[in-house]
């Protein structure tokens, strides 16, 4: 799973990782285990239902086993029978089917159970989509989406990764529809206008990776890899050409990955399918599902093809890390998600070069550190979580990926990849814990890695350094002072033991590196060297840390001009921007004009956007208007929206008049225009809010801009027909976000209307709309939203309950604070009256 986990975490405020009272979570016992599941389902897409039965073969792993609990939520017409007719009873509470055999089994004995059932429009797990009166062009399909524990909503299973039956599907639907599932197609039969497709997966498959898709789909058949078919699907609104553009490098990636990991692709096909409101992307075995927001037309590809390719290789790598080699439980889920995230950087390294990998690593560090600073810190490996879904955060994805990168630096490339290949080949078809991977790397490196894993995987936080450099000309020595600043007893963050590269360039242009070891709060390193022209930290991007390191204007300017690496240039740009000085900002501006790497250009815009003075405004305005890179325009526009100034507004308006703007770039421009808070711009934003566009991203940007304006004149446009469903959920989520931004800036009667609109959106049929509405109710303290949140609790998956509970708690806290403030005001007024009465009594006594 990629991307959706990031977006849903984006607006959390700092808190503990878990709610109060969280307990440790463990895998279930497996005395009896399902080893084969055969699903016979007739799927009615129009009726949003499915009916049929499951044949489940169970095996006794130990002697004396006689009971098994199967997860099955809200099943109808349930009947349970013993195919072998040897005696069976069951109890169903709406959540689990508790099976009890009449006789205990011997080890390795097998039994087959038949479960007949039906489901009607499940709240999650199986997504139905169809046109309606308001959305006549909405796609027609049924697609499953199970991670982490949602398969239980559409078929009976032990919904946990340790249980991995082989899967077989007999799926029936009208013959005009395409039917896809895990594994290989065995047969298709048509009778009386009904098609039955038989798919078989002869490989262990956790419930969360089971998948089928039925609907009206466009198709693109790619060139097979050997005899393995490769194909891409989406609803009929997308063309085969768009499918080809979106998934084009897939075959090349498969060839690369087989070579990199030393193992042939383990499954009989590789299909990918994009569906409306699926969420992110999901690595179901041999049938990867995507949200159709990743589909690319020619213009979208200019700015998002890079992101799309990274997610493509991410999901593909799960075929090894997560699908073939399965995490034993969610405490060890980094073994799939951290690995898949790191594979993105490795792919860039091998396909585009080290500079591309270093930029991606820098972005990964930024994402992880952002969550650690603004939301919470946790160990990468932990059993304490509210729900397994909460583990899928930026600690898991980029935080874990960076730790893999540091492990690779520690043991060396050759030994690292030999250990990885050994790990993948040795554990394919099995479940793993973190120690299994650790032992493979230890085996090939000869190193004891307990300390590394204790420090980086089982402990919280990351190093935050304050570094200073001074040069003593008389002694010919440079002094580096390195102080660790991250320690926090309350959060449980301690010191880190790590290596750090100190780098400098001498007057002759020769580069030098000295590796030092950090183990204390403060270190002073005295090095014999000629006076350097510039100094930097970790130029080759080996280590995860955050640092302040201002070596002085001259050295920073030299580093900007003569630095060779992504880390060098990012350090120079950041430190120069932090000074806010005219000459330093001019140097960044000049460098940005000539810098060819789009990532470093984005970094420069971001840093200029934080400065907040006239020099920075002038440079941002000039650079935005002349920026032509589609991959950079969005970041440039966002940077201009960080501050309010006439020159920035004028630049944004000028940029909006340019033709062929990238979609997300235009969206950011509209949002930033609203941030200038000029009422004269509201009319233009309203015009964009009424235009159609690719996924209506222009509308989303215009709505965010209207909200950022904080003007009452924007309210009518934001509320107009807000109760209507939309074709693309981003548009309505943006409108709700805008309303939350404007709520506290308008008059009381409008504030009531705004709050009501956000509350009512919890009833929206779109999962992404009603969950975001719930988040905004808590984030903005809408007390009237409390009953809406409680009602929503019954209409969302269990995995989202912790999020909802946090919003309810936020409302209760803010409500208590408001009540306390009200009581305090009453007490103050009473005290004032009493003081007045006392004064009057004193005056009366004096008159007497």
């Amino acid at each position: 799973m990629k991307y959706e986990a990031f977006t849903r975490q984006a607006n959390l405020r700092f808190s503990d990782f878990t709610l109060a009272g969280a307990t440790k979570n463990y895998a279930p016992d497996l005395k009896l285990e399902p080893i084969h599941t055969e699903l016979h389902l007739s799927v009615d897409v129009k009726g949003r239902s499915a009916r049929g039965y499951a044949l489940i073969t169970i095996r006794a792993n130990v002697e004396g086993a006689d009971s098994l609990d199967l997860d099955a939520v809200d099943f109808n017409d349930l009947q349970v029978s013993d195919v072998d007719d040897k005696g069976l009873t069951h109890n169903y509470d709406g959540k689990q089917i508790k099976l009890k055999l009449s006789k205990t089994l011997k080890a390795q004995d097998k039994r087959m159970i038949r479960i007949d059932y039906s489901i009607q429009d499940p709240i999650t797990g199986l997504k139905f989509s169809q046109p309606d009166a308001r959305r006549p062009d909405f796609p027609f399909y049924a697609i499953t989406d199970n991670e982490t524990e949602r398969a239980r909503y559409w078929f009976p299973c032990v919904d946990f990764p340790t249980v991995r039956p082989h899967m077989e599907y007999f799926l029936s639907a009208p013959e005009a529809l395409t039917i896809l599932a895990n594994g290989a197609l065995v047969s298709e039969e048509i009778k009386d206008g009904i098609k039955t497709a038989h798919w078989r997966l002869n490989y262990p498959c956790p419930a969360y990776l089971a998948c089928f898709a039925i609907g009206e789909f466009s198709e693109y058949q790619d060139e097979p890899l050997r005899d393995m078919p490769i194909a891409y699907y989406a609803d009929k609104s997308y063309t085969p050409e768009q499918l080809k553009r979106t998934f084009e490098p897939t075959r090349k990636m498969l060839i690369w990955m087989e070579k990199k990991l030393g193992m042939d692709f383990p499954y009989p096909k590789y299909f990918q399918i994009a569906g409306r409101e699926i969420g992110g992307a999901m690595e179901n075995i041999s049938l990867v599902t995507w949200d159709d927001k990743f589909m690319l037309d020619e213009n979208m590809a200019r700015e998002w093809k890079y992101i799309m390719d990274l997610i493509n290789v991410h999901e593909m790598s799960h075929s090894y890390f997560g699908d073939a080699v399965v995490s034993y439980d969610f405490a060890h889920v980094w073994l799939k998600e951290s690995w898949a995230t790191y594979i993105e950087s490795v792919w860039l390294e091998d396909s585009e070069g080290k500079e591309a990998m270093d930029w991606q690593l820098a972005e990964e560090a930024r994402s992880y550190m952002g969550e650690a600073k603004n939301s919470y810190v946790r160990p990468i490996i932990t059993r304490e979580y509210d729900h397994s879904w909460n583990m899928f955060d930026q600690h898991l994805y980029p935080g874990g990926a960076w730790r893999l990168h540091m492990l690779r630096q520690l043991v060396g490339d050759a030994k690292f990849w030999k250990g990885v290949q050994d790990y993948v080949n040795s554990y394919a078809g099995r479940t793993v814990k973190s120690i299994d991977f650790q032992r493979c790397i230890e085996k090939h490196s000869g190193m004891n890695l307990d300390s590394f894993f204790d420090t980086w995987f089982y402990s919280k936080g990351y190093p935050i350094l304050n570094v200073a450099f001074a040069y003593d000309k008389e002694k010919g020595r440079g002094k580096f002072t390195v102080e660790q600043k991250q320690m926090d007893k309350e959060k449980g963050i301690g010191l880190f033991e790590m290596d750090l590269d100190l780098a400098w360039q001498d007057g002759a242009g020769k580069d030098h590196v000295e590796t030092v070891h950090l183990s204390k709060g403060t270190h002073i390193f005295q090095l014999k060297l000629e006076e350097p022209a510039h100094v930097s930290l970790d130029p080759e991007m080996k280590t995860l840390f955050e640092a302040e390191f201002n070596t002085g204007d001259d050295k920073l300017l030299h580093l900007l001009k003569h630095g060779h690496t992504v880390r060098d240039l990012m350090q120079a740009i950041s430190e120069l921007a932090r000074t806010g000085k005219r000459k330093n900002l001019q140097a960044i501006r000049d460098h940005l004009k000539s810098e060819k790497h789009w990532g470093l250009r984005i970094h420069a815009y971001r840093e200029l956007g934080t400065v907040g003075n006239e020099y920075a405004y002038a440079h941002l305005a000039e650079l935005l208007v002349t920026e032509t890179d589609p991959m950079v325009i969005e970041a440039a526009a966002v940077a201009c929206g960080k501050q309010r100034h006439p020159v920035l507004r004028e630049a944004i308006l000028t940029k909006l008049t340019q033709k062929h703007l990238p979609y997300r770039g235009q969206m950011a421009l509209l949002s930033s225009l609203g941030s200038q808070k000029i009422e004269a711009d509201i009319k233009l934003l309203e015009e964009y809010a009424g235009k159609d566009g690719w996924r209506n991203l222009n509308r989303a940007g215009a709505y965010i801009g209207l909200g950022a304006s904080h003007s009452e004149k924007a309210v009518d446009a934001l509320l107009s027909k807000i109760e209507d469903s939309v074709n693309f959920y981003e548009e309505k989520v943006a409108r709700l976000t805008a309303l939350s931004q404007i709520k506290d800036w308008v008059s009381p009667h409008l504030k009531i209307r705004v709050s009501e609109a956000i509350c009512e959106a919890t009833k929206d049929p779109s999962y992404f709309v009603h969950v975001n509405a719930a988040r905004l109710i808590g984030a903005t303290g809408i007390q009237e939203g409390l009953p809406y949140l409680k009602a929503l609790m019954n209409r969302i998956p269990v995995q989202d309950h912790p999020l909802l509970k946090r919003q309810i708690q936020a409302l209760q806290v803010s409500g208590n604070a408001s009540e306390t403030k009200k009581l305090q005001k009453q007490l103050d007024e009473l005290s004032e009256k009493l003081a007045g009465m006392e004064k009057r009594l004193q005056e009366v006594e004096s008159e007497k």
Side-chain angles (χ1 to χ4, degrees), residues 135-171:
R135 300 175 298 182
D137 298 324
F138 219 60
F140 188 78
Y141 70 71
I143 301 177
T144 63
D145 183 31
N146 304 330
E147 196 166 43
T148 54
E149 300 173 64
R150 293 182 290 149
R152 64 187 67 193
Y153 289 89
W154 66 273
F155 81 95
C157 58
V158 178
D159 204 356
F160 203 86
T162 46
V163 178
R164 300 162 299 117
H166 290 216
M167 297 295 298
E168 205 156 354
Y169 304 84
F170 292 82
L171 301 169

Side-chain angles (χ1 to χ4, degrees), residues 417-705:
W417 288 111
K418 283 183 180 179
V420 171
Q421 291 181 355
D422 186 4
Y423 166 74
V424 169
N425 282 275
S426 297
Y427 289 99
R430 300 165 62 185
T431 60
V432 288
K433 298 181 180 180
S434 301
I435 192 65
D436 298 317
F437 174 70
Q438 180 183 335
R439 294 293 180 249
C440 282
I441 303 300
E442 288 179 336
K443 171 184 171 182
H444 290 272
S445 67
M447 298 175 67
N448 184 329
L449 296 173
D450 288 345
S451 176
F452 180 88
F453 275 78
D454 283 350
T455 299
W456 292 101
F457 285 94
Y458 292 97
S459 299
K460 296 180 180 180
Y462 61 91
I464 300 176
L465 308 178
N466 191 350
V467 185
F469 174 79
Y471 186 73
D472 189 327
K473 291 185 178 181
E474 292 184 2
K475 296 181 179 179
R477 287 185 175 276
K479 182 174 77 170
F480 291 84
T481 303
V482 184
E483 181 182 7
Q484 294 196 43
K485 303 288 289 183
Q486 74 280 348
M487 290 82 75
D488 188 319
K489 287 185 179 181
E490 185 177 341
K491 295 178 184 177
I493 303 173
L495 286 169
F496 282 83
E497 188 167 352
M498 55 185 278
D499 288 341
L500 178 67
D501 283 353
L502 307 177
W504 65 94
Q505 188 178 96
D506 62 28
K510 184 177 180 180
D511 294 311
H512 305 265
V513 176
E514 180 79 17
T515 302
V516 298
H517 188 73
L518 307 183
S519 60
K520 301 184 298 184
T522 302
H523 284 275
I524 296 176
F525 301 101
Q526 300 273 4
L527 303 179
K528 185 72 175 178
L529 51 85
E530 297 179 8
E531 183 167 9
H534 69 239
V535 185
S536 66
L537 300 175
D538 187 37
E540 297 302 325
M541 201 78 74
K542 295 179 180 179
T543 308
L544 176 68
F545 64 89
E546 180 182 338
E548 288 189 11
F549 187 30
N550 188 334
T551 56
D553 292 354
D554 291 343
K555 286 182 172 58
L556 289 172
L557 291 168
H558 191 276
L559 180 62
L560 182 63
K561 187 174 182 179
H562 299 282
H564 302 304
T565 69
V566 168
R567 176 85 91 180
D568 281 349
L569 295 172
M570 290 183 71
Q571 177 188 321
I573 291 168
S574 296
E575 294 294 347
L576 288 168
R578 196 173 285 131
T579 69
K581 295 179 181 178
R582 181 176 183 176
K583 68 171 183 178
N584 294 343
L585 300 181
Q586 179 70 40
I588 295 174
R589 174 255 193 196
D590 294 342
H591 177 82
L592 205 156
K593 281 194 165 187
S594 61
E595 176 59 60
K596 295 180 180 180
H597 191 280
W598 59 270
L600 287 170
R601 296 173 65 77
I602 286 176
H603 180 70
Y605 277 114
R606 287 173 179 164
E607 294 300 311
L608 285 174
T610 66
V611 175
N613 65 27
E614 297 286 339
Y615 310 128
Y617 300 154
H619 297 325
L620 281 170
E622 174 196 3
L623 292 164
L624 174 67
V625 172
T626 58
E627 182 59 66
T628 59
D629 192 329
M631 294 176 69
V632 179
I633 290 173
E634 181 182 3
V638 169
C640 289
K642 295 293 184 183
Q643 311 288 343
R644 292 177 59 192
H645 196 275
V647 71
L648 295 174
R649 173 178 175 264
E650 190 61 35
I652 293 168
L653 288 168
T654 300
K655 193 70 177 179
L656 280 168
T657 65
Q658 295 180 4
K659 295 181 179 180
H660 310 301
L661 287 171
Y663 300 131
R664 295 186 63 85
Q666 184 187 63
M667 180 173 69
L669 286 165
L670 294 167
S671 173
S672 292
L673 179 62
S675 296
Q676 301 307 307
K677 296 178 173 54
I678 302 298
E679 286 194 350
D681 296 329
I682 289 177
K683 183 179 179 181
L684 179 62
L685 291 170
E686 288 176 345
E687 289 176 4
Y688 274 97
K691 295 180 180 179
D692 293 331
W694 180 260
R695 295 191 65 86
N696 291 335
L697 294 178
N698 58 300
R699 293 186 188 178
Y703 286 135
I704 294 295

